[in-house]
Amino acid sequence: MGRGEKLSFCIVKYIFFGFNVFIWFLGCGVLSLGVWLHVNRGPYMSLVPAYSFLSASSLCITAGCIILIVGFLGCCGAFLENQCMLIGYFVLVLLIFTLEVTAGTLGIVKQNEMREVLKEEFLISIQQDYHPEVKDQNKDNWRSVMNSLQKELHCCGINNYTDWYYVSAWPNEERVPDSCCVRSLDLCGQLDKSYWYNRGCLEEIEYWFIRNMYVLGVVGITVAVIQILAMVAAIILFCYLRSRKYLL
């Protein structure tokens, strides 16, 4: 191997190593956040109880573990010049990339079906799980996030405020939670509907995604480019190590 090729290998190797050290520390942070959320807040931000595995704590723990494994394989593969670890790194990143593309494609193709399923689950949760007087960690977390969502997005219910009529928390009343109120007043949810937000939260969430589509697109493309570059670097290191092995 020429001197220039060795220099190029060293540059790629140490950049790749440094990048994966950063990825490993990022995984530690995400995993720690997930554990903290799980211990202190249970299935925090799980708005749809039927899909509690999609809660913030579960997603952070899963993502943290995957990032840790990827970072570990990348660091050790580059530092130890281990071909098996580099191939494992490449396969794992390729698998993650494929899953991301598949999920994104299914999300676009099946968006109407997903919307209906989520809407149905939200409505069931509103009907059955909103009980301010019941002391249950899961229900407390769900109620807290739902109230925050309605306050932040200035919305009420999923379709509109009538989703809150005759729920199990108040089976004989046409009222809403106080988080649906335009103005902060005592027992506002039991007052006239002119005090309540008219728009449903599902519409507001969709509008938020549309407004931030550019940012989401840039983030998605950036992540994809980084993953592709990481796979290319892993293959370059692997090929160099393999060719050097045969020359020796």
Side-chain angles (χ1 to χ4, degrees):
M1 289 291 173
R3 189 172 179 179
E5 290 183 351
K6 290 182 179 179
L7 179 61
S8 300
F9 170 77
C10 289
I11 292 173
V12 174
K13 172 183 173 179
Y14 287 113
I15 291 176
F16 185 76
F17 176 78
F19 170 75
N20 282 285
V21 168
F22 169 76
I23 291 296
W24 190 85
F25 279 112
L26 177 64
C28 290
V30 174
L31 180 60
S32 300
L33 175 63
V35 172
W36 179 81
L37 287 174
H38 183 76
V39 171
N40 291 278
R41 308 203 178 185
Y44 181 63
M45 287 192 69
S46 180
L47 279 172
V48 188
Y51 298 89
S52 58
F53 60 91
L54 294 177
S55 65
S57 59
S58 299
L59 291 175
C60 285
I61 291 173
T62 304
C65 291
I66 293 173
I67 294 171
L68 273 175
I69 294 171
V70 170
F72 174 79
L73 288 175
C75 290
C76 292
F79 185 76
L80 300 175
E81 299 185 359
N82 187 295
Q83 297 179 54
C84 293
M85 286 186 170
L86 289 172
I87 285 297
Y89 177 90
F90 174 83
V91 171
L92 190 55
V93 175
L94 179 61
L95 178 62
I96 294 170
F97 181 78
T98 303
L99 289 174
E100 289 171 349
V101 172
T102 303
T105 304
L106 288 176
I108 294 173
V109 174
K110 303 284 187 179
Q111 58 180 325
N112 291 330
E113 295 177 26
M114 292 173 60
R115 185 180 187 275
E116 291 304 314
V117 169
L118 289 175
K119 183 168 75 171
E120 182 179 347
E121 290 295 333
F122 269 115
L123 290 173
I124 291 173
S125 297
I126 286 176
Q127 290 288 332
Q128 300 178 358
D129 296 320
Y130 194 92
H131 290 280
E133 71 284 354
V134 176
K135 297 302 178 182
D136 179 88
Q137 183 68 28
N138 293 344
K139 287 183 170 57
D140 286 345
N141 289 328
W142 183 87
R143 184 171 64 249
S144 175
V145 175
M146 191 65 198
N147 285 334
S148 298
L149 184 69
Q150 293 184 143
K151 287 179 181 178
E152 293 296 325
L153 296 182
H154 299 167
C155 58
C156 187
I158 303 306
N159 300 300
N160 52 55
Y161 55 75
T162 59
D163 293 335
W164 289 103
Y165 285 5
Y166 311 116
V167 300
S168 57
W170 41 79
N172 301 311
E173 299 179 75
E174 291 185 354
R175 56 170 290 194
V176 298
D178 289 344
S179 58
C180 281
C181 297
V182 178
R183 288 176 283 176
S184 297
L185 297 172
D186 291 336
L187 302 176
C188 177
Q190 301 178 42
L191 299 178
D192 186 82
K193 59 187 70 175
S194 61
Y195 289 91
W196 307 337
Y197 294 119
N198 291 315
R199 293 191 296 269
C201 290
L202 189 60
E203 177 185 346
E204 290 301 307
I205 292 172
E206 290 175 340
Y207 179 59
W208 182 89
F209 273 104
I210 292 173
R211 283 186 304 167
N212 294 277
M213 191 64 69
Y214 175 76
V215 176
L216 295 173
V218 170
V219 171
I221 292 172
T222 302
V223 170
V225 169
I226 291 173
Q227 289 174 325
I228 292 171
L229 291 176
M231 288 188 287
V232 170
I235 288 297
I236 290 173
L237 294 177
F238 173 82
C239 291
Y240 179 86
L241 292 172
R242 188 177 179 84
S243 62
R244 188 175 68 179
K245 177 182 176 181
Y246 282 123
L247 287 175
L248 293 175

PDB file of all heavy atoms in Angstrom, residues 75-94:
ATOM      1  N   CYS A  75     -16.898   2.421  17.118  1.00  0.00           N
ATOM      2  CA  CYS A  75     -15.666   2.773  17.849  1.00  0.00           C
ATOM      3  C   CYS A  75     -14.682   1.608  17.872  1.00  0.00           C
ATOM      4  O   CYS A  75     -13.507   1.759  17.522  1.00  0.00           O
ATOM      5  CB  CYS A  75     -16.009   3.179  19.286  1.00  0.00           C
ATOM      6  SG  CYS A  75     -16.866   4.750  19.438  1.00  0.00           S
ATOM      7  N   CYS A  76     -15.164   0.453  18.303  1.00  0.00           N
ATOM      8  CA  CYS A  76     -14.284  -0.713  18.427  1.00  0.00           C
ATOM      9  C   CYS A  76     -13.808  -1.198  17.065  1.00  0.00           C
ATOM     10  O   CYS A  76     -12.648  -1.606  16.901  1.00  0.00           O
ATOM     11  CB  CYS A  76     -14.998  -1.837  19.172  1.00  0.00           C
ATOM     12  SG  CYS A  76     -15.316  -1.460  20.906  1.00  0.00           S
ATOM     13  N   GLY A  77     -14.705  -1.160  16.079  1.00  0.00           N
ATOM     14  CA  GLY A  77     -14.324  -1.603  14.743  1.00  0.00           C
ATOM     15  C   GLY A  77     -13.205  -0.758  14.163  1.00  0.00           C
ATOM     16  O   GLY A  77     -12.271  -1.280  13.537  1.00  0.00           O
ATOM     17  N   ALA A  78     -13.285   0.568  14.377  1.00  0.00           N
ATOM     18  CA  ALA A  78     -12.257   1.465  13.849  1.00  0.00           C
ATOM     19  C   ALA A  78     -10.975   1.388  14.676  1.00  0.00           C
ATOM     20  O   ALA A  78      -9.874   1.283  14.122  1.00  0.00           O
ATOM     21  CB  ALA A  78     -12.787   2.901  13.832  1.00  0.00           C
ATOM     22  N   PHE A  79     -11.105   1.428  16.007  1.00  0.00           N
ATOM     23  CA  PHE A  79      -9.920   1.464  16.872  1.00  0.00           C
ATOM     24  C   PHE A  79      -9.139   0.153  16.816  1.00  0.00           C
ATOM     25  O   PHE A  79      -7.912   0.141  16.734  1.00  0.00           O
ATOM     26  CB  PHE A  79     -10.334   1.762  18.305  1.00  0.00           C
ATOM     27  CG  PHE A  79      -9.191   1.925  19.245  1.00  0.00           C
ATOM     28  CD1 PHE A  79      -8.440   3.093  19.242  1.00  0.00           C
ATOM     29  CD2 PHE A  79      -8.847   0.915  20.134  1.00  0.00           C
ATOM     30  CE1 PHE A  79      -7.366   3.255  20.106  1.00  0.00           C
ATOM     31  CE2 PHE A  79      -7.780   1.064  20.998  1.00  0.00           C
ATOM     32  CZ  PHE A  79      -7.033   2.234  20.995  1.00  0.00           C
ATOM     33  N   LEU A  80      -9.873  -0.963  16.859  1.00  0.00           N
ATOM     34  CA  LEU A  80      -9.227  -2.281  16.842  1.00  0.00           C
ATOM     35  C   LEU A  80      -8.977  -2.784  15.425  1.00  0.00           C
ATOM     36  O   LEU A  80      -8.358  -3.842  15.255  1.00  0.00           O
ATOM     37  CB  LEU A  80     -10.089  -3.300  17.602  1.00  0.00           C
ATOM     38  CG  LEU A  80     -10.373  -2.992  19.076  1.00  0.00           C
ATOM     39  CD1 LEU A  80     -11.321  -4.019  19.660  1.00  0.00           C
ATOM     40  CD2 LEU A  80      -9.067  -2.951  19.876  1.00  0.00           C
ATOM     41  N   GLU A  81      -9.508  -2.050  14.429  1.00  0.00           N
ATOM     42  CA  GLU A  81      -9.406  -2.451  13.028  1.00  0.00           C
ATOM     43  C   GLU A  81      -9.968  -3.858  12.840  1.00  0.00           C
ATOM     44  O   GLU A  81      -9.356  -4.736  12.222  1.00  0.00           O
ATOM     45  CB  GLU A  81      -7.954  -2.354  12.539  1.00  0.00           C
ATOM     46  CG  GLU A  81      -7.404  -0.933  12.613  1.00  0.00           C
ATOM     47  CD  GLU A  81      -6.016  -0.808  12.018  1.00  0.00           C
ATOM     48  OE1 GLU A  81      -5.466  -1.841  11.560  1.00  0.00           O
ATOM     49  OE2 GLU A  81      -5.474   0.314  11.992  1.00  0.00           O
ATOM     50  N   ASN A  82     -11.165  -4.039  13.401  1.00  0.00           N
ATOM     51  CA  ASN A  82     -11.828  -5.339  13.380  1.00  0.00           C
ATOM     52  C   ASN A  82     -12.837  -5.379  12.235  1.00  0.00           C
ATOM     53  O   ASN A  82     -13.810  -4.627  12.224  1.00  0.00           O
ATOM     54  CB  ASN A  82     -12.525  -5.586  14.723  1.00  0.00           C
ATOM     55  CG  ASN A  82     -13.088  -6.985  14.839  1.00  0.00           C
ATOM     56  OD1 ASN A  82     -13.985  -7.361  14.110  1.00  0.00           O
ATOM     57  ND2 ASN A  82     -12.549  -7.752  15.774  1.00  0.00           N
ATOM     58  N   GLN A  83     -12.609  -6.277  11.292  1.00  0.00           N
ATOM     59  CA  GLN A  83     -13.472  -6.341  10.115  1.00  0.00           C
ATOM     60  C   GLN A  83     -14.892  -6.802  10.459  1.00  0.00           C
ATOM     61  O   GLN A  83     -15.862  -6.300   9.898  1.00  0.00           O
ATOM     62  CB  GLN A  83     -12.863  -7.297   9.076  1.00  0.00           C
ATOM     63  CG  GLN A  83     -11.512  -6.839   8.549  1.00  0.00           C
ATOM     64  CD  GLN A  83     -10.923  -7.805   7.542  1.00  0.00           C
ATOM     65  OE1 GLN A  83     -11.577  -8.145   6.557  1.00  0.00           O
ATOM     66  NE2 GLN A  83      -9.710  -8.263   7.781  1.00  0.00           N
ATOM     67  N   CYS A  84     -15.011  -7.757  11.372  1.00  0.00           N
ATOM     68  CA  CYS A  84     -16.335  -8.268  11.749  1.00  0.00           C
ATOM     69  C   CYS A  84     -17.202  -7.175  12.361  1.00  0.00           C
ATOM     70  O   CYS A  84     -18.392  -7.068  12.059  1.00  0.00           O
ATOM     71  CB  CYS A  84     -16.190  -9.430  12.729  1.00  0.00           C
ATOM     72  SG  CYS A  84     -15.437 -10.906  12.012  1.00  0.00           S
ATOM     73  N   MET A  85     -16.597  -6.359  13.223  1.00  0.00           N
ATOM     74  CA  MET A  85     -17.345  -5.262  13.839  1.00  0.00           C
ATOM     75  C   MET A  85     -17.753  -4.216  12.808  1.00  0.00           C
ATOM     76  O   MET A  85     -18.854  -3.660  12.873  1.00  0.00           O
ATOM     77  CB  MET A  85     -16.521  -4.610  14.953  1.00  0.00           C
ATOM     78  CG  MET A  85     -16.427  -5.446  16.212  1.00  0.00           C
ATOM     79  SD  MET A  85     -15.611  -4.562  17.553  1.00  0.00           S
ATOM     80  CE  MET A  85     -15.930  -5.680  18.928  1.00  0.00           C
ATOM     81  N   LEU A  86     -16.876  -3.953  11.855  1.00  0.00           N
ATOM     82  CA  LEU A  86     -17.208  -2.977  10.810  1.00  0.00           C
ATOM     83  C   LEU A  86     -18.362  -3.484   9.947  1.00  0.00           C
ATOM     84  O   LEU A  86     -19.257  -2.706   9.580  1.00  0.00           O
ATOM     85  CB  LEU A  86     -15.973  -2.700   9.945  1.00  0.00           C
ATOM     86  CG  LEU A  86     -14.853  -1.891  10.614  1.00  0.00           C
ATOM     87  CD1 LEU A  86     -13.619  -1.854   9.731  1.00  0.00           C
ATOM     88  CD2 LEU A  86     -15.331  -0.472  10.932  1.00  0.00           C
ATOM     89  N   ILE A  87     -18.343  -4.767   9.625  1.00  0.00           N
ATOM     90  CA  ILE A  87     -19.448  -5.342   8.849  1.00  0.00           C
ATOM     91  C   ILE A  87     -20.729  -5.318   9.674  1.00  0.00           C
ATOM     92  O   ILE A  87     -21.816  -5.006   9.156  1.00  0.00           O
ATOM     93  CB  ILE A  87     -19.112  -6.779   8.405  1.00  0.00           C
ATOM     94  CG1 ILE A  87     -18.109  -6.734   7.253  1.00  0.00           C
ATOM     95  CG2 ILE A  87     -20.362  -7.538   7.961  1.00  0.00           C
ATOM     96  CD1 ILE A  87     -18.631  -6.057   5.992  1.00  0.00           C
ATOM     97  N   GLY A  88     -20.618  -5.658  10.974  1.00  0.00           N
ATOM     98  CA  GLY A  88     -21.788  -5.591  11.846  1.00  0.00           C
ATOM     99  C   GLY A  88     -22.349  -4.184  11.927  1.00  0.00           C
ATOM    100  O   GLY A  88     -23.566  -3.988  11.904  1.00  0.00           O
ATOM    101  N   TYR A  89     -21.465  -3.200  12.009  1.00  0.00           N
ATOM    102  CA  TYR A  89     -21.864  -1.796  12.020  1.00  0.00           C
ATOM    103  C   TYR A  89     -22.605  -1.438  10.729  1.00  0.00           C
ATOM    104  O   TYR A  89     -23.684  -0.834  10.762  1.00  0.00           O
ATOM    105  CB  TYR A  89     -20.621  -0.928  12.180  1.00  0.00           C
ATOM    106  CG  TYR A  89     -20.866   0.551  12.140  1.00  0.00           C
ATOM    107  CD1 TYR A  89     -21.130   1.265  13.302  1.00  0.00           C
ATOM    108  CD2 TYR A  89     -20.806   1.257  10.939  1.00  0.00           C
ATOM    109  CE1 TYR A  89     -21.351   2.642  13.274  1.00  0.00           C
ATOM    110  CE2 TYR A  89     -21.023   2.619  10.897  1.00  0.00           C
ATOM    111  CZ  TYR A  89     -21.294   3.310  12.065  1.00  0.00           C
ATOM    112  OH  TYR A  89     -21.510   4.664  12.018  1.00  0.00           O
ATOM    113  N   PHE A  90     -22.018  -1.826   9.598  1.00  0.00           N
ATOM    114  CA  PHE A  90     -22.631  -1.534   8.297  1.00  0.00           C
ATOM    115  C   PHE A  90     -24.017  -2.160   8.197  1.00  0.00           C
ATOM    116  O   PHE A  90     -24.983  -1.498   7.775  1.00  0.00           O
ATOM    117  CB  PHE A  90     -21.735  -2.059   7.174  1.00  0.00           C
ATOM    118  CG  PHE A  90     -22.348  -1.939   5.806  1.00  0.00           C
ATOM    119  CD1 PHE A  90     -22.287  -0.762   5.103  1.00  0.00           C
ATOM    120  CD2 PHE A  90     -23.007  -3.028   5.228  1.00  0.00           C
ATOM    121  CE1 PHE A  90     -22.864  -0.646   3.843  1.00  0.00           C
ATOM    122  CE2 PHE A  90     -23.584  -2.925   3.981  1.00  0.00           C
ATOM    123  CZ  PHE A  90     -23.515  -1.735   3.282  1.00  0.00           C
ATOM    124  N   VAL A  91     -24.138  -3.429   8.582  1.00  0.00           N
ATOM    125  CA  VAL A  91     -25.421  -4.132   8.490  1.00  0.00           C
ATOM    126  C   VAL A  91     -26.461  -3.480   9.389  1.00  0.00           C
ATOM    127  O   VAL A  91     -27.619  -3.293   8.987  1.00  0.00           O
ATOM    128  CB  VAL A  91     -25.243  -5.627   8.859  1.00  0.00           C
ATOM    129  CG1 VAL A  91     -26.598  -6.310   8.982  1.00  0.00           C
ATOM    130  CG2 VAL A  91     -24.392  -6.334   7.813  1.00  0.00           C
ATOM    131  N   LEU A  92     -26.062  -3.099  10.605  1.00  0.00           N
ATOM    132  CA  LEU A  92     -27.008  -2.503  11.547  1.00  0.00           C
ATOM    133  C   LEU A  92     -27.493  -1.144  11.060  1.00  0.00           C
ATOM    134  O   LEU A  92     -28.690  -0.843  11.105  1.00  0.00           O
ATOM    135  CB  LEU A  92     -26.357  -2.374  12.922  1.00  0.00           C
ATOM    136  CG  LEU A  92     -27.268  -2.002  14.097  1.00  0.00           C
ATOM    137  CD1 LEU A  92     -28.435  -2.980  14.202  1.00  0.00           C
ATOM    138  CD2 LEU A  92     -26.488  -1.977  15.398  1.00  0.00           C
ATOM    139  N   VAL A  93     -26.571  -0.309  10.580  1.00  0.00           N
ATOM    140  CA  VAL A  93     -26.958   1.009  10.056  1.00  0.00           C
ATOM    141  C   VAL A  93     -27.826   0.855   8.812  1.00  0.00           C
ATOM    142  O   VAL A  93     -28.809   1.588   8.634  1.00  0.00           O
ATOM    143  CB  VAL A  93     -25.714   1.867   9.755  1.00  0.00           C
ATOM    144  CG1 VAL A  93     -26.114   3.183   9.094  1.00  0.00           C
ATOM    145  CG2 VAL A  93     -24.940   2.156  11.037  1.00  0.00           C
ATOM    146  N   LEU A  94     -27.480  -0.109   7.947  1.00  0.00           N
ATOM    147  CA  LEU A  94     -28.291  -0.362   6.750  1.00  0.00           C
ATOM    148  C   LEU A  94     -29.701  -0.807   7.140  1.00  0.00           C
ATOM    149  O   LEU A  94     -30.688  -0.370   6.530  1.00  0.00           O
ATOM    150  CB  LEU A  94     -27.628  -1.429   5.882  1.00  0.00           C
ATOM    151  CG  LEU A  94     -28.375  -1.827   4.604  1.00  0.00           C
ATOM    152  CD1 LEU A  94     -28.529  -0.632   3.675  1.00  0.00           C
ATOM    153  CD2 LEU A  94     -27.655  -2.975   3.894  1.00  0.00           C
TER     154      LEU A  94
END
